[in-house]
Amino acid sequence: MEKNNQIVFENLKVYDFEFLDSYQKKKSQIKTIQINLGNLCNQQCRHCHIAASPKGKDIMDLETAEKIVSKIKELDFIESIEFTGGTPEMNPNFEFMLKELYKTNKKLVVRTSLTILRYEPYKKFIKLYKDLKVHIIASLPGIFADVVNLQRGNNVFEDSIEVLKELNELGYGKKEEEFKLTLVYNPLGNYLPPPQKELEIEYKYFLKHNYNIEFTNLTTMVNMPIKRFKNDLIKKHQYESYLNLLIKNFNINTIPYLMCKSVLSIDFKGNVYDCDFNLALNLKIKGYESKKFWEIDIFHLDSEITFKEHCYGCMVNQGSSCFGELLSNPEWNIKNHFHHNFQNSKNGGSNMNLIASIQKYYGEELNSNQDLKTKACCTVEEYPKHIKAVLPFIADEIKNKYYGCGSPIPDALEGLKILDIGCGTGRDVYVLSKLVGEEGFVYGIDMTKNQIEIAERYIEIQTKRFGYEKPNVKFIHDFIENIDEYFQENSLDLIISNCVFNLIFDKEMVLKKIFRILKHGGEFYFSDNYSDRRIPEHLKENTLLYNECLSGALYEKDFIRLARKIGFMDPRIVSKTKIHINNPEIEDLVENINFYSITYRLWKIEGLEDACEDYGQIAIYKGGIKESPYKFILDEGHIFEKGRPEKVCGNTALMLSKTRYHKYFEIIGDFSTHYGEFTNCGTSIQNEGTTQTITKSSCGC
């Protein structure tokens, strides 16, 4: 094992924390007392680290409760008291403890199952929580019933929603300082949580718009490989791979902020532990194994934290704790993560070696998009509203393993037949599934088996979420180069791709096949990375740069030449954003090459010219596109306000009259008279009161 910032474990049988110095192993000043009232719970969750259930027999008695309360009253330096379990409300002494500790003026926190508050005799606690200004923390591992009920039990989601509504009525989740309501997310399976802030935004939008529910904040927790969850992993032969996942995502920067440094956990008998996870494993605080909480001088507590392999669950990515992520800096993994992989990838290789490398990289090495070394395979632009509205419906595991660099999903898709090349785990396929409706159909093709297996696993779930009677998606495990074996000539309305074209070796051959299988009036709408100069051959053979979507990027002008050669005569840029690599070693490798994420739309339209020509035509947007009711964006140089006449070149007139957009536009004029070159092709954008003049033509002229 390397004892530095890049911890690498070659042998999973060895868990050695010698890289921690004495200061890191010591507890700091205790700020929070966490009281675990036992394992009696009205639910039996799959991931529960203390294996709580309705049959739980570990219940704190009154004598223990009184001694704990009496001791806490002596501790002026303690800031907060947290009750957990099990379900705290089911303990007969919980109400007594809550009321007594309220007198200490310390912050009171209760981790509730939510559903217990729907039933007698526990309904009373809702009002009591408000009276005592209790901070409520409740688990809601999803915003759909299928996810929550699978993890926590039948009807848990429905009951939880009703309780959340009651709490909102009392002011919880709305008055942040007085009545805090925190929701907790746990992954459904053996994968890591998405970034906490992104998930919180998604939760808040979805719960507000669908149930009119508000909450203060969301925290994400990593599933701990202990007790019930560990047994499930062992049963499925996934325990070692899950530990590998935790170790691979280890972040040494989380250590100073670990929960165990400032928290003291007490079990139902009064024994003390570094945290609730060590409590679940009966790993008592070193040096105090035989002492009860009320027998210890907490202020002068001098003990070394007990670390075991499960502790890596708190040290992954941004860190994990009962209170959510430990770090707020999203760039940690760019600078510190997997340095050894970088060093080992500087040797070149053949195309076959690169293919194997890509499959392994995206199928095995990357556990989420947080593992990427640069931002080249990350979406850098804002999603349109209609896509944002669909994303909460997509399963977390699918989104967690999404590696796109743009937003290659255009408007007006209902009823279309679409293909996503390089679909990965199917995020864009499922977004399109919702947008095309039940009458449309979406295919996805990818060469990486692990990715396709994940995508296929969610077909039934996503079909139900969208309210469809039958699936409207199909996934194909094969190379993109073979797409013509699955689709006939002139058979698809739209083909999309998200940061995949750069990974293709024979780009001309694939582009020819895309052109062939598109219908007349069809479109290739895709996002990819491009460079401002041609990539040197030695960089093209670098596996890391290739996997990170950099060294396979085309020089922009070479792509324009290639597209025109195939028949896509007028490539249009929808958006263009510079990629900031933020990795010093990779920046040194690429030297002065600049990379850009560009979304193009290429049209298969007979009559398109390689330049913008003036035929005196006018285009008027009539409205009707539900995603763009008042303003339609064709590309970065063409914005059409509803009802406003715009002069257009011949190519633009064809794009609006010979494609699926024809019913939304009125085109005045024909091609009978040519007035020469169409100069200054592009329009003035009116956007939220700000005028931005686009001088660069997007018509290829």
Side-chain angles (χ1 to χ4, degrees):
M1 182 182 68
E2 300 176 25
K3 299 176 182 177
N4 55 31
N5 285 16
Q6 290 75 38
I7 306 300
V8 183
F9 285 77
E10 300 294 340
N11 184 355
L12 275 175
K13 295 180 181 178
V14 178
Y15 298 97
D16 188 351
F17 287 84
E18 289 182 2
F19 63 89
L20 296 173
D21 60 32
S22 59
Y23 169 77
Q24 292 168 328
K25 291 181 181 179
K26 290 284 187 179
K27 295 186 81 70
S28 54
Q29 183 66 55
I30 305 300
K31 296 180 180 179
T32 300
I33 300 294
Q34 197 174 60
I35 304 172
N36 191 311
L37 296 172
N39 62 359
L40 178 62
C41 185
N42 68 317
Q43 297 178 10
Q44 186 167 318
C45 303
R46 294 173 59 180
H47 68 282
C48 184
H49 63 273
I50 66 167
S53 75
K55 297 181 180 179
K57 299 185 183 301
D58 298 339
I59 302 172
M60 184 178 289
D61 59 29
L62 179 58
E63 181 181 0
T64 302
E66 289 176 333
K67 290 181 178 180
I68 290 174
V69 168
S70 178
K71 178 67 174 181
I72 290 176
K73 286 181 178 179
E74 301 173 2
L75 307 177
D76 295 334
F77 56 90
I78 297 298
E79 297 176 2
S80 63
I81 310 297
E82 178 182 320
F83 291 94
T84 184
T87 301
E89 294 92 343
M90 296 182 75
N91 186 289
N93 306 304
F94 171 58
E95 184 176 354
F96 152 74
M97 299 182 77
L98 204 58
K99 289 179 177 178
E100 285 297 310
L101 290 172
Y102 175 70
K103 299 174 184 178
T104 66
N105 292 319
K106 302 182 190 303
K107 182 172 71 174
L108 298 179
V109 182
V110 174
R111 291 184 180 270
T112 179
S113 68
L114 280 183
T115 55
I116 194 69
L117 300 174
R118 288 210 73 191
Y119 307 106
E120 297 291 356
Y122 309 108
K123 285 185 176 182
K124 63 181 180 181
F125 283 106
I126 293 182
K127 184 178 184 304
L128 182 62
Y129 290 159
K130 181 179 180 182
D131 292 342
L132 304 184
K133 295 182 173 60
V134 171
H135 178 180
I136 296 174
I137 299 180
S139 181
L140 193 71
I143 48 181
F144 292 96
D146 52 4
V147 171
V148 176
N149 294 342
L150 181 61
Q151 187 178 106
R152 302 183 70 83
N154 293 335
N155 300 315
V156 168
F157 179 79
E158 295 79 2
D159 286 350
S160 297
I161 291 296
E162 292 306 313
V163 174
L164 288 172
K165 288 180 179 178
E166 288 187 54
L167 291 171
N168 275 183
E169 289 176 6
L170 290 176
Y172 268 100
K174 298 185 177 183
K175 298 179 181 179
E176 187 169 342
E177 291 305 313
E178 283 191 304
F179 305 113
K180 289 186 178 180
L181 174 59
T182 297
L183 300 183
V184 180
Y185 169 90
N186 286 85
L188 182 61
N190 59 333
Y191 52 92
L192 300 179
Q196 182 171 288
K197 194 60 182 177
E198 290 180 17
L199 197 61
E200 179 181 288
I201 293 171
E202 191 173 282
Y203 263 59
K204 285 191 172 181
Y205 176 85
F206 190 87
L207 292 178
K208 176 65 176 177
H209 283 74
N210 289 274
Y211 301 102
N212 198 29
I213 287 172
E214 299 178 67
F215 60 94
T216 309
N217 67 301
L218 175 84
T219 62
T220 57
M221 287 181 62
V222 172
N223 287 335
M224 284 293 165
I226 56 180
K227 289 295 180 81
R228 191 174 289 153
F229 184 61
K230 177 179 179 179
N231 292 337
D232 187 55
L233 290 173
I234 292 173
K235 183 178 179 180
K236 295 177 180 178
H237 306 288
Q238 296 173 342
Y239 180 60
E240 184 169 321
S241 64
Y242 186 69
L243 288 179
N244 252 324
L245 172 64
L246 299 182
I247 292 167
K248 284 171 66 178
N249 286 275
F250 170 80
N251 179 8
I252 199 169
N253 298 318
T254 61
I255 292 172
Y257 308 100
L258 291 174
M259 176 179 67
C260 54
K261 294 183 72 66
S262 61
V263 169
L264 196 68
S265 291
I266 310 170
D267 72 5
F268 75 104
K269 291 183 178 180
N271 299 308
V272 290
Y273 306 82
D274 292 308
C275 66
D276 204 47
F277 304 123
N278 280 4
L279 181 153
L281 295 173
N282 198 31
L283 298 172
K284 297 174 184 175
I285 287 186
K286 291 179 181 179
Y288 298 88
E289 290 87 352
S290 61
K291 291 184 178 294
K292 303 295 186 183
F293 170 67
W294 50 87
E295 298 173 336
I296 301 173
D297 180 356
I298 305 300
F299 186 81
H300 295 100
L301 183 69
D302 183 28
S303 65
E304 185 180 284
I305 299 170
T306 300
F307 288 96
K308 294 291 183 181
E309 57 265 31
H310 67 277
C311 296
Y312 285 104
C314 290
M315 302 179 191
V316 297
N317 293 346
Q318 300 304 101
S320 177
S321 74
C322 292
F323 314 110
E325 288 184 350
L326 302 175
L327 303 176
S328 59
N329 176 18
E331 302 296 335
W332 74 266
N333 58 313
I334 293 175
K335 297 176 181 177
N336 296 327
H337 197 50
F338 291 154
H339 177 80
H340 65 289
N341 279 356
F342 178 86
Q343 294 295 337
N344 291 337
S345 62
K346 292 183 178 178
N347 296 324
S350 65
N351 283 0
M352 291 304 295
N353 288 336
L354 282 174
I355 290 173
S357 173
I358 294 168
Q359 289 176 315
K360 183 178 180 182
Y361 196 63
Y362 288 94
E364 300 176 25
E365 292 188 20
L366 297 184
N367 297 295
S368 78
N369 46 33
Q370 299 297 301
D371 291 342
L372 292 164
K373 317 301 182 297
T374 72
K375 290 296 184 183
C377 288
C378 298
T379 299
V380 293
E381 58 189 84
E382 183 77 6
Y383 292 121
K385 289 182 179 179
H386 66 286
I387 295 178
K388 281 185 179 179
V390 178
L391 288 176
F393 288 83
I394 311 302
D396 296 322
E397 186 175 12
I398 292 173
K399 290 184 291 189
N400 206 28
K401 298 188 177 184
Y402 159 75
Y403 309 110
C405 62
S407 181
I409 299 177
D411 293 347
L413 302 179
E414 195 165 351
L416 297 190
K417 186 178 180 182
I418 302 175
L419 168 65
D420 179 4
I421 60 173
C423 66
T425 56
R427 196 207 69 162
D428 287 343
V429 170
Y430 284 119
V431 171
L432 291 166
S433 168
K434 177 66 172 175
L435 296 177
V436 300
E438 288 191 86
E439 300 303 314
F441 203 91
V442 187
Y443 298 88
I445 185 169
D446 200 281
M447 70 174 180
T448 307
K449 185 178 181 181
N450 292 0
Q451 301 268 78
I452 288 293
E453 287 175 347
I454 292 172
E456 290 180 329
R457 190 158 66 230
Y458 288 93
I459 290 178
E460 183 178 353
I461 291 173
Q462 296 294 158
T463 301
K464 290 180 179 178
R465 284 189 182 178
F466 296 151
Y468 297 164
E469 291 187 4
K470 60 181 181 179
N472 67 343
V473 301
K474 181 179 179 180
F475 293 98
I476 302 166
H477 176 221
D478 202 346
F479 293 99
I480 293 169
E481 288 81 355
N482 297 329
I483 53 175
D484 56 337
E485 296 181 12
Y486 301 92
F487 303 98
Q488 296 180 350
E489 189 173 353
N490 303 319
S491 63
L492 294 172
D493 298 294
L494 173 68
I495 297 175
I496 75 157
S497 176
N498 204 338
C499 207
V500 172
F501 199 69
N502 69 87
L503 296 173
I504 297 171
F505 299 116
D506 193 340
K507 295 177 175 61
E508 181 174 346
M509 183 258 291
V510 171
L511 204 56
K512 283 180 179 177
K513 292 186 176 184
I514 288 172
F515 187 86
R516 189 180 309 134
I517 63 179
L518 276 174
K519 294 179 181 178
H520 291 286
E523 177 182 16
F524 181 30
Y525 191 103
F526 71 111
S527 299
D528 207 66
N529 295 333
Y530 297 88
S531 58
D532 66 350
R533 64 199 68 187
R534 292 174 181 137
I535 308 292
E537 287 301 320
H538 71 279
L539 292 185
K540 290 181 180 180
E541 296 177 351
N542 183 293
T543 56
L544 177 64
L545 292 181
Y546 211 95
N547 291 340
E548 286 282 326
C549 305
L550 292 174
S551 62
L554 274 178
Y555 167 45
E556 286 182 70
K557 291 188 180 296
D558 282 346
F559 171 73
I560 298 296
R561 295 184 181 103
L562 175 61
R564 287 174 173 165
K565 178 181 178 182
I566 300 300
F568 293 114
M569 299 306 296
D570 189 358
R572 296 288 179 96
I573 293 177
V574 179
S575 64
K576 178 177 179 178
T577 309
K578 186 173 182 178
I579 295 170
H580 298 284
I581 295 175
N582 294 333
N583 184 310
E585 292 172 288
I586 292 181
E587 286 177 341
D588 287 343
L589 269 180
V590 300
E591 296 179 348
N592 292 319
I593 302 174
N594 293 306
F595 293 89
Y596 298 88
S597 172
I598 303 178
T599 297
Y600 274 106
R601 58 192 330 168
L602 309 183
W603 296 98
K604 181 180 177 179
I605 303 174
E606 188 174 351
L608 283 182
E609 301 181 83
D610 63 358
C612 299
E613 304 294 342
D614 189 352
Y615 295 92
Q617 292 160 304
I618 302 291
I620 303 173
Y621 176 44
K622 299 185 293 185
I625 299 176
K626 62 183 180 180
E627 300 93 349
S628 306
Y630 307 112
K631 182 173 62 178
F632 172 73
I633 301 175
L634 177 65
D635 52 58
E636 71 170 0
H638 294 85
I639 315 298
F640 297 91
E641 293 183 18
K642 181 180 178 181
R644 180 177 179 177
E646 294 278 1
K647 289 185 64 177
V648 295
C649 70
N651 283 350
T652 300
L654 289 173
M655 292 175 189
L656 300 176
S657 63
K658 300 297 183 181
T659 67
R660 65 183 185 279
Y661 294 125
H662 71 93
K663 57 186 175 181
Y664 306 110
F665 280 86
E666 178 185 357
I667 304 297
I668 301 173
D670 54 28
F671 289 85
S672 59
T673 304
H674 180 228
Y675 296 99
E677 179 187 2
F678 194 105
T679 57
N680 299 320
C681 190
T683 58
S684 179
I685 299 175
Q686 301 290 334
N687 187 12
E688 298 180 0
T690 302
T691 301
Q692 176 188 0
T693 302
I694 294 184
T695 57
K696 178 181 176 181
S697 167
S698 61
C699 298
C701 56

